[in-house]
Amino acid sequence: MSRRPAHLSRGALVVPAILAALGVFLVYGTMTMEVVGGGGLFGPTTMPWIVAVLSFVIAALLAFDILRPHAEYDRPTTGADAVGPDRAEGTDGAEPAAAEGVNGPAVLTAIGGVAGFIVVLPFLGWILSATALFITVAYALGNRRWPGIVLGGLAISAAIQVVFSGLLGISLPAGFVGGF
């Protein structure tokens, strides 16, 4: 039997378990939260409920994907199976080797981006800090299309600013931009 990739092995069920635990924590915290006043349409309990439901849905979908049979990884391979409709003639039937281990520079770049975000948030404000975080994480994940990641980061951070300020009434740090 061929080996499943790490993201489809049973050990990967840790991620759905963490997401489900986060959902339970959010449900408990939201149900025990003391809300002053009515809170309006988008009160202080709206976002925790949305995130809790999304956590449960994503955890269930991930667990289903991990546990379902994957024919390309779960079927036994024999010498006769090496050439078939899904294999090209003249190839040895071997699949390209997946990279093993952790990409240390990428992980350190992403962690550095989060640490930098925490440090510069009070000074630069939400929009610029979140854009820089988006750019850093996209770079760590291998994206090198600079105009796209800069515009994407600006769009996402601005949308989050609008949702929090306009709909929820929560002001995010403005930084030096707030003085203009």
Side-chain angles (χ1 to χ4, degrees):
M1 205 186 290
S2 64
R3 209 180 106 168
R4 283 177 159 226
H7 71 281
L8 293 175
S9 68
R10 302 289 187 257
L13 288 172
V14 170
V15 174
I18 291 171
L19 282 172
L22 173 67
V24 169
F25 174 75
L26 286 170
V27 167
Y28 174 76
T30 305
M31 292 183 77
T32 59
M33 180 188 300
E34 292 183 28
V35 179
V36 178
L41 178 63
F42 292 104
T45 60
T46 303
M47 286 305 282
W49 279 115
I50 291 171
V51 174
V53 168
L54 286 174
S55 294
F56 288 130
V57 168
I58 292 171
L61 291 173
L62 280 173
F64 174 75
D65 188 46
I66 291 167
L67 294 174
R68 75 179 172 92
H70 291 271
E72 63 271 20
Y73 302 116
D74 294 338
R75 70 166 189 239
T77 57
T78 63
D81 290 340
V83 176
D86 59 339
R87 307 255 187 223
E89 286 288 334
T91 62
D92 62 357
E95 296 179 12
E100 293 291 326
V102 175
N103 184 347
V107 171
L108 291 176
T109 301
I111 291 172
V114 172
F117 171 78
I118 292 168
V119 170
V120 301
L121 179 62
F123 307 107
L124 293 182
W126 170 261
I127 293 180
L128 295 177
S129 299
T131 300
L133 175 63
F134 183 89
I135 292 168
T136 305
V137 172
Y139 178 82
L141 293 174
N143 193 338
R144 301 297 187 267
R145 295 183 214 133
W146 295 107
I149 60 176
V150 169
L151 291 175
L154 276 171
I156 290 173
S157 62
I160 291 171
Q161 177 78 29
V162 167
V163 167
F164 272 78
S165 297
L167 298 176
L168 298 175
I170 300 170
S171 61
L172 296 173
F176 76 90
V177 178
F180 292 119

PDB file of all heavy atoms in Angstrom, residues 42 57 90 93 116 120 122 126 130 152 158 169 178:
ATOM      1  N   PHE A  42     -25.714  43.809  15.314  1.00  0.00           N
ATOM      2  CA  PHE A  42     -24.393  43.181  15.401  1.00  0.00           C
ATOM      3  C   PHE A  42     -23.798  43.508  16.762  1.00  0.00           C
ATOM      4  O   PHE A  42     -22.942  44.368  16.893  1.00  0.00           O
ATOM      5  CB  PHE A  42     -23.472  43.678  14.284  1.00  0.00           C
ATOM      6  CG  PHE A  42     -23.887  43.223  12.923  1.00  0.00           C
ATOM      7  CD1 PHE A  42     -24.502  44.080  12.044  1.00  0.00           C
ATOM      8  CD2 PHE A  42     -23.681  41.911  12.535  1.00  0.00           C
ATOM      9  CE1 PHE A  42     -24.895  43.651  10.791  1.00  0.00           C
ATOM     10  CE2 PHE A  42     -24.071  41.468  11.289  1.00  0.00           C
ATOM     11  CZ  PHE A  42     -24.677  42.347  10.412  1.00  0.00           C
ATOM     12  N   VAL A  57     -17.742  23.827  11.288  1.00  0.00           N
ATOM     13  CA  VAL A  57     -17.911  23.414   9.893  1.00  0.00           C
ATOM     14  C   VAL A  57     -16.571  23.026   9.279  1.00  0.00           C
ATOM     15  O   VAL A  57     -16.437  21.977   8.640  1.00  0.00           O
ATOM     16  CB  VAL A  57     -18.603  24.528   9.076  1.00  0.00           C
ATOM     17  CG1 VAL A  57     -18.528  24.259   7.584  1.00  0.00           C
ATOM     18  CG2 VAL A  57     -20.049  24.689   9.519  1.00  0.00           C
ATOM     19  N   GLY A  90       6.193   3.937 -20.377  1.00  0.00           N
ATOM     20  CA  GLY A  90       7.609   4.271 -20.317  1.00  0.00           C
ATOM     21  C   GLY A  90       8.027   4.919 -19.007  1.00  0.00           C
ATOM     22  O   GLY A  90       9.186   5.221 -18.822  1.00  0.00           O
ATOM     23  N   GLY A  93       6.292   4.549 -12.882  1.00  0.00           N
ATOM     24  CA  GLY A  93       5.119   4.523 -12.017  1.00  0.00           C
ATOM     25  C   GLY A  93       5.346   5.213 -10.697  1.00  0.00           C
ATOM     26  O   GLY A  93       4.455   5.277  -9.880  1.00  0.00           O
ATOM     27  N   GLY A 116       6.360  41.078  14.338  1.00  0.00           N
ATOM     28  CA  GLY A 116       6.470  42.448  13.841  1.00  0.00           C
ATOM     29  C   GLY A 116       5.132  43.161  13.856  1.00  0.00           C
ATOM     30  O   GLY A 116       5.042  44.347  14.195  1.00  0.00           O
ATOM     31  N   VAL A 120       4.493  46.740  15.749  1.00  0.00           N
ATOM     32  CA  VAL A 120       4.228  47.987  15.014  1.00  0.00           C
ATOM     33  C   VAL A 120       2.764  48.400  14.995  1.00  0.00           C
ATOM     34  O   VAL A 120       2.451  49.518  14.574  1.00  0.00           O
ATOM     35  CB  VAL A 120       4.766  47.921  13.563  1.00  0.00           C
ATOM     36  CG1 VAL A 120       6.251  47.660  13.543  1.00  0.00           C
ATOM     37  CG2 VAL A 120       4.019  46.910  12.725  1.00  0.00           C
ATOM     38  N   PRO A 122       0.573  49.495  17.282  1.00  0.00           N
ATOM     39  CA  PRO A 122       0.207  50.781  17.899  1.00  0.00           C
ATOM     40  C   PRO A 122       0.754  51.995  17.128  1.00  0.00           C
ATOM     41  O   PRO A 122       0.171  53.072  17.185  1.00  0.00           O
ATOM     42  CB  PRO A 122       0.835  50.717  19.295  1.00  0.00           C
ATOM     43  CG  PRO A 122       1.165  49.295  19.529  1.00  0.00           C
ATOM     44  CD  PRO A 122       1.357  48.664  18.203  1.00  0.00           C
ATOM     45  N   TRP A 126      -3.932  49.784  12.238  1.00  0.00           N
ATOM     46  CA  TRP A 126      -4.428  48.507  11.763  1.00  0.00           C
ATOM     47  C   TRP A 126      -4.159  48.276  10.293  1.00  0.00           C
ATOM     48  O   TRP A 126      -3.636  47.245   9.900  1.00  0.00           O
ATOM     49  CB  TRP A 126      -5.927  48.365  12.051  1.00  0.00           C
ATOM     50  CG  TRP A 126      -6.480  47.177  11.362  1.00  0.00           C
ATOM     51  CD1 TRP A 126      -7.162  47.154  10.186  1.00  0.00           C
ATOM     52  CD2 TRP A 126      -6.319  45.818  11.757  1.00  0.00           C
ATOM     53  NE1 TRP A 126      -7.459  45.867   9.822  1.00  0.00           N
ATOM     54  CE2 TRP A 126      -6.946  45.018  10.784  1.00  0.00           C
ATOM     55  CE3 TRP A 126      -5.716  45.186  12.830  1.00  0.00           C
ATOM     56  CZ2 TRP A 126      -6.998  43.642  10.861  1.00  0.00           C
ATOM     57  CZ3 TRP A 126      -5.762  43.811  12.908  1.00  0.00           C
ATOM     58  CH2 TRP A 126      -6.392  43.051  11.934  1.00  0.00           C
ATOM     59  N   ALA A 130      -1.674  45.335   9.294  1.00  0.00           N
ATOM     60  CA  ALA A 130      -2.293  44.119   8.766  1.00  0.00           C
ATOM     61  C   ALA A 130      -1.863  43.871   7.327  1.00  0.00           C
ATOM     62  O   ALA A 130      -1.682  42.722   6.920  1.00  0.00           O
ATOM     63  CB  ALA A 130      -3.816  44.220   8.866  1.00  0.00           C
ATOM     64  N   GLY A 152      -3.972  42.924  -2.249  1.00  0.00           N
ATOM     65  CA  GLY A 152      -4.797  41.989  -1.479  1.00  0.00           C
ATOM     66  C   GLY A 152      -4.744  42.292   0.009  1.00  0.00           C
ATOM     67  O   GLY A 152      -5.771  42.271   0.692  1.00  0.00           O
ATOM     68  N   ALA A 158      -8.502  46.720   4.941  1.00  0.00           N
ATOM     69  CA  ALA A 158      -9.510  47.781   4.876  1.00  0.00           C
ATOM     70  C   ALA A 158     -10.913  47.215   5.098  1.00  0.00           C
ATOM     71  O   ALA A 158     -11.738  47.831   5.786  1.00  0.00           O
ATOM     72  CB  ALA A 158      -9.434  48.502   3.534  1.00  0.00           C
ATOM     73  N   GLY A 169     -18.936  48.742  15.563  1.00  0.00           N
ATOM     74  CA  GLY A 169     -18.691  49.892  16.430  1.00  0.00           C
ATOM     75  C   GLY A 169     -17.428  49.759  17.262  1.00  0.00           C
ATOM     76  O   GLY A 169     -17.293  50.397  18.296  1.00  0.00           O
ATOM     77  N   GLY A 178      -4.126  58.050  11.897  1.00  0.00           N
ATOM     78  CA  GLY A 178      -5.283  58.668  12.531  1.00  0.00           C
ATOM     79  C   GLY A 178      -5.117  60.145  12.782  1.00  0.00           C
ATOM     80  O   GLY A 178      -6.093  60.859  12.970  1.00  0.00           O
TER      81      GLY A 178
END
